[in-house]
Amino acid sequence: MQRQESNYSDMQSDLKRDMYATNQSRKIQTWKSSAGNAHTRVFAEYTAEAPEEPKQIHNAWTYLIGIIMCMGAAACTYFEGLRADDDPSPDSLPSHLDGYDTGFFGGTLALDSFVRDFKLDERGSNTSANLVSLFQGGSFFGAGLQLPLTEKFGRKYTILFANVIFMASAFAQTFAHGSVEVFMVGRFLGGFAVGFLSLIIPVYLAEFSPPSIRGRLVGFFDIFIQVGTLVGFWINYSIDTTLPSNTFQWQLPVFVQFFPATLLMAAFFVPESPRWLMGKNRYDDALKALCSIRRLPADHAYIQYEIKMTQDAVETERAVRGDASLWGLIKELALSSGHRKRVGLGLALIFFKTFSGVQAVNYYSPRIFKQLGFNGTKNSLFATGIYGTVKFVGTLIFGLFVVDRAGRRWPLIIGSIGLSLCLFYIGGYLTAMGPRDGTQPISKGDYTAIVAIFLYATWYCFGWNSVPLTLISEIFNLRYRTISMTICLMWQWLCTFAIVRIMPIALDNITTKTYFLFGSIFLCAAPFVYFFIPETKKLSLEYLDRLFDGPDAADNHMTSRNDVEQVAVPKSEWKPEMEHAEGLPPVKE
């Protein structure tokens, strides 16, 4: 079936002629003074216009798709290493990311078997730093270079392509046979794949999810990051206590990366993002994919409404802007004040997340636990494993039961205050106690400090661990989503690089007062969220334009310099043909 043809060039000319003919003053939209109230207004409009969500859309297939896609997070998404056997130092502090690589690589780097096989003690400390930073560099370039592939080939096949690269990187690392150069190539390729996956997976999750559980499904990404972290932590503890110091000891945790990566290959059987298909004029494919995900027939009222809303949004964008190239879209985004503001919000959220102080707690935790009575490599690994377990449990509870009920704003606001108080207490206590070697008996104050560390992990998981990623995956419209998220994720890698370079210097010069610095920065996050971040829970992605651009955004479109006024665009008259949806499941009452 062919979509009803529209003469977009004539429509665009008519729109611009009418636009410049008017002498009415421009209508300025802002959300600065009403971020807290905007959601109430838009959600009332949404519930009045949208049909009630049928129970069938919360089906097992939807959750299974989310689990399959998030295997990429469990495998490799980010990475933060700790030399658990030593105090942190400028040469022994790897970079911060999360996922399975978080839990295993820092500990693997410190194993005697790894050091011996790769002769790290003969090569100097820069080799260890390069093994870490190459992963981070690859991630930065991967985040930027994924954009043309994602736009041309779609979310699903870009994820599969990146996963194949990641599996090749895991193979290179596992069977490097003492060659540092081969291992470095593997690290870079792994980071390159991670740059793809850390962006495309959240985009896919946001685009295919029902509005009422979008926060939960996007939150799966962070849940599986914590699953990977937890597995990595306890694998380190297990191999240190049970396996002899030989080549297999360090190969085992590296090889484990293959298992979630292999499971991610099941993404071949999941549908492509219906919103991406719609943006590529593949209307019938989009309808079939949506019906498959929602487990509803094509003539169901909810399917008709959802497909029509997406179609209207696509037609509106195309009518005003035409079919621009990728570079043209980037220029449009740079000139569009409304979307620049959304990108600015995303960049600010990433900044606060990265500078939340979690690196200070993670990097400094071996020394903290040592001062509080945990001596030796095994005890340090055990304490770090408990810390990772707390983060996993907190992320799991928040992702499954809180984010779609409490929303996005208040977990961030309350979490900012809670995190700051914990950081101030930890910094104050350690500063007041002074240097300790861990031989002193544990006092009541020490137990309080341990509680503060775990409270910090809990507060972090109840907000800033996952909500920023959820927000940046949903606040951009279809036309600019991957471009905007590419900017935000590349900014995240730059912030991560900066914090990695700053952290050793801060810990070496201002020591425990580092916590006061991060606590002060994070206090600013609460008013920022209160005044500038609107609530987005339970709204469809198409309705978020109304949330940001004002009450007329459904019929008007904010454009750039040469078409800056808001332009009314006729709704599409395209209707799906039911005979093209054969074999789709019937409605289950």
Side-chain angles (χ1 to χ4, degrees), residues 109 114-116 118-124 127-128 131 180:
L109 196 65
F114 188 87
V115 173
R116 182 179 59 252
F118 289 91
K119 298 180 174 60
L120 296 185
D121 52 352
E122 301 176 9
R123 295 175 179 269
T127 300
S128 297
L131 286 172
V180 172

Side-chain angles (χ1 to χ4, degrees), residues 313-503:
V314 170
E315 295 291 353
T316 298
E317 293 280 359
R318 186 176 292 114
V320 174
R321 301 188 188 275
D323 292 315
S325 64
L326 178 61
W327 177 243
L329 289 176
I330 295 174
K331 291 192 291 185
E332 288 174 12
L333 176 60
L335 295 173
S336 175
S337 61
H339 286 91
R340 283 202 313 269
K341 291 178 181 178
R342 299 194 204 186
V343 173
L345 292 182
L347 296 179
L349 288 169
I350 292 297
F351 172 83
F352 284 119
K353 174 182 171 66
T354 308
F355 285 82
S356 63
V358 68
Q359 291 85 2
V361 175
N362 288 338
Y363 292 154
Y364 218 31
S365 59
R367 184 175 296 176
I368 295 173
F369 289 125
K370 180 179 179 180
Q371 289 185 352
L372 299 178
F374 290 90
N375 280 320
T377 301
K378 291 183 177 62
N379 287 336
S380 182
L381 284 171
F382 182 80
T384 306
I386 295 296
Y387 177 75
T389 303
V390 171
K391 289 179 66 178
F392 164 71
V393 173
T395 303
L396 183 66
I397 294 173
F398 180 80
L400 294 181
F401 305 110
V402 178
V403 64
D404 284 317
R405 291 180 172 87
R408 287 45 157 168
R409 272 168 53 85
W410 285 108
L412 291 179
I413 293 171
I414 297 173
S416 299
I417 298 172
L419 286 167
S420 297
L421 293 176
C422 291
L423 287 170
F424 285 137
Y425 180 83
I426 295 170
Y429 181 78
L430 293 176
T431 302
M433 294 301 295
R436 301 167 66 189
D437 59 11
T439 60
Q440 297 86 351
I442 298 179
S443 66
K444 293 181 179 179
D446 293 337
Y447 287 116
T448 307
I450 293 172
V451 170
I453 293 172
F454 291 132
L455 277 177
Y456 173 86
T458 303
W459 281 119
Y460 180 72
C461 294
F462 270 66
W464 285 95
N465 187 35
S466 57
V467 170
L469 182 64
T470 301
L471 281 169
I472 67 171
S473 67
E474 62 188 4
I475 64 175
F476 307 115
N477 65 21
L478 177 62
R479 188 175 184 85
Y480 297 125
R481 185 166 296 131
T482 52
I483 298 174
S484 302
M485 283 199 67
T486 297
I487 295 171
C488 289
L489 266 294
M490 293 183 74
W491 170 246
Q492 174 173 294
W493 295 115
L494 286 176
C495 287
T496 301
F497 179 81
I499 200 67
V500 166
R501 296 305 178 188
I502 292 172
M503 186 62 60

Side-chain angles (χ1 to χ4, degrees), residues 84 103-104 107 111 230-243 249 376-386:
F104 96 85
L111 290 173
L230 192 63
V231 171
F233 280 148
W234 290 114
I235 281 182
N236 269 340
Y237 179 76
S238 299
I239 65 176
D240 185 72
T241 56
T242 61
L243 293 182
Q249 186 188 40
T377 301
K378 291 183 177 62
N379 287 336
S380 182
L381 284 171
F382 182 80
T384 306
I386 295 296

Side-chain angles (χ1 to χ4, degrees), residues 220-275:
F220 276 10
F221 191 76
D222 281 290
I223 290 174
F224 276 83
I225 286 176
Q226 297 304 324
V227 170
T229 304
L230 192 63
V231 171
F233 280 148
W234 290 114
I235 281 182
N236 269 340
Y237 179 76
S238 299
I239 65 176
D240 185 72
T241 56
T242 61
L243 293 182
S245 180
N246 54 27
T247 298
F248 181 73
Q249 186 188 40
W250 68 260
Q251 281 184 325
L252 177 61
V254 178
F255 184 79
V256 168
Q257 296 175 96
F258 277 106
F259 292 102
T262 300
L263 292 175
L264 181 57
M265 293 305 296
F268 181 82
F269 300 101
V270 306
E272 179 57 88
S273 164
R275 284 176 168 83

